[in-house]
Amino acid sequence: MKSEVARGAEILKAGGLVAFPTETVYGLGADASNARAVARLYAVKGRPADHPVIVHFASAEQAFAWAREVPDAARRLAERFWPGPLTLILKRSELAQDFVTGGQDSVGLRVPSHPVAHELLSIFGSGVAAPSANRFGLVSPTTAAHVREDLGADVELVLEGGPSEVGIESTIVDLSGGGAVLLRPGAITKQQIEEVMKVTEKNLAAPRHPGSLERHYAPRTPARLLPAHELDRQIAVMTDRVAVLAFSRPDERVDYWLRMPREPAAYARRLYAALRELDSAGCEAILVEAPPDAPEWAAVRDRLRRACSGA
Ligand code: TXA
Ligand code: MG
């Protein structure tokens, strides 16, 4: 009997959509060389066509074929962090067409480490375009069950790979313009990248990067991010039913309380499942206790800030 993963590769070859696990979040995959498959991917995601998508590969060698210039910096980062939760933006080669780059002259490349992703990409043998497997703007999926809840019958196959180990999207470093620019913080920290090269941080308000849109990764229930002392004060004056995400023990005045780990990697791993759970608790508001303002919390703080923005 053919394995599920081999069946996934066949579906991709035929222009279909396959959701698959990665170490960061689950991705919604389509053949990155097939305009119609990618168009369907955007339609299912509900994503604007000018937003570029990350292309996934089994090896750095395959990935770099999609770039017309591979700076030494890219090789050094790939050597150190691939396979793993890092995306590199490079100047594109002719393999990366407008429909994956959003018309830009650069392309996002990633070599994931999850064994199921790796096997799928190896059998497929080329680039797989994959945004997170959720509807645009909402919380990314970290289990196959999340994907089924979000996308249901809109995908041909959802490959099972257990809960995503990292839990938040990859770190994105842009090398297409000369220096290294951190576009999206992730499990690979700015400090870790700085061990390899100098990197600047750019907080783009520009809409080229969905990950940089202010309200993104957001639950449907209005959510607010509060410092610990404020949280306590808010709970005392709230009249609505509230759901809380916090480090401390449950407060009995609160209807729904999830306690989070005090360690950033463990927190990130649980974050999206926790937001989904709070979102479905039937409360009027979600209150989130802000993590410490420290470098190791940068990626988690970024996602929480966006999840709680504009509510
Ligand atoms: O961890 C991840 O990266 C997950 C898994 C599935 O690999 N994927 C993911 O994809 O988060 P998505 O589409 O949700 O986010 C892709 C981010 C966007 O912010 C996009 O704009 C940026 O990567 N990106 C892709 N290509 C780009 C390019 N050429 N220039 C600038 N940003 C780019
Ligand atoms: Mg996403």
Side-chain angles (χ1 to χ4, degrees), residues 20 22 24-28 45 47 51-54 56 87 89-90 100-101 104 106-108 110 130-134 140 168-170 172 174 183-184 208-212 216-217:
F20 61 97
T22 86
T24 57
V25 300
Y26 275 65
L28 177 59
K45 263 221 59 122
R47 184 175 199 167
H51 284 306
V53 74
I54 296 171
H56 299 67
T87 295
I89 310 291
L90 298 177
V100 289
T101 69
Q104 303 191 73
S106 59
V107 62
R110 177 158 121 74
S132 50
N134 56 290
S140 298
I168 55 174
E169 303 78 1
S170 60
I172 302 181
D174 186 354
L183 293 185
R184 179 171 74 184
R208 305 277 12 182
H209 326 278
S212 74
H216 206 71
Y217 315 113

Side-chain angles (χ1 to χ4, degrees), residues 42 49 52 92 96-105:
Y42 275 64
R92 66 166 165 178
Q97 301 177 65
D98 281 344
F99 55 83
V100 289
T101 69
Q104 303 191 73
D105 192 35

Side-chain angles (χ1 to χ4, degrees), residues 50-82:
D50 65 341
H51 284 306
V53 74
I54 296 171
V55 188
H56 299 67
F57 298 88
S59 70
E61 193 192 334
Q62 283 181 11
F64 287 152
W66 285 53
R68 71 170 178 276
E69 261 168 50
V70 183
D72 185 49
R75 293 194 194 282
R76 287 189 349 250
L77 287 177
E79 179 105 350
R80 171 87 184 265
F81 298 113
W82 277 355

Side-chain angles (χ1 to χ4, degrees), residues 38-188:
V38 175
R40 209 181 127 221
L41 172 72
Y42 275 64
V44 166
K45 263 221 59 122
R47 184 175 199 167
D50 65 341
H51 284 306
V53 74
I54 296 171
V55 188
H56 299 67
F57 298 88
S59 70
E61 193 192 334
Q62 283 181 11
F64 287 152
W66 285 53
R68 71 170 178 276
E69 261 168 50
V70 183
D72 185 49
R75 293 194 194 282
R76 287 189 349 250
L77 287 177
E79 179 105 350
R80 171 87 184 265
F81 298 113
W82 277 355
L86 175 71
T87 295
L88 297 178
I89 310 291
L90 298 177
K91 290 196 178 116
R92 66 166 165 178
S93 75
E94 71 288 351
L95 292 172
Q97 301 177 65
D98 281 344
F99 55 83
V100 289
T101 69
Q104 303 191 73
D105 192 35
S106 59
V107 62
L109 306 171
R110 177 158 121 74
V111 178
S113 63
H114 193 292
V116 174
H118 181 77
E119 193 188 344
L120 177 71
L121 294 165
S122 300
I123 301 172
F124 183 72
S126 181
V128 172
S132 50
N134 56 290
R135 309 272 179 208
F136 188 67
L138 298 178
V139 178
S140 298
T142 53
T143 66
H146 293 162
V147 178
R148 282 188 222 100
E149 279 161 32
D150 286 1
L151 302 179
D154 284 348
V155 285
E156 273 77 50
L157 178 67
V158 181
L159 291 172
E160 177 62 64
S164 294
E165 219 177 294
V166 172
I168 55 174
E169 303 78 1
S170 60
T171 304
I172 302 181
V173 177
D174 186 354
L175 297 170
S176 68
V181 183
L182 182 67
L183 293 185
R184 179 171 74 184
I188 293 171

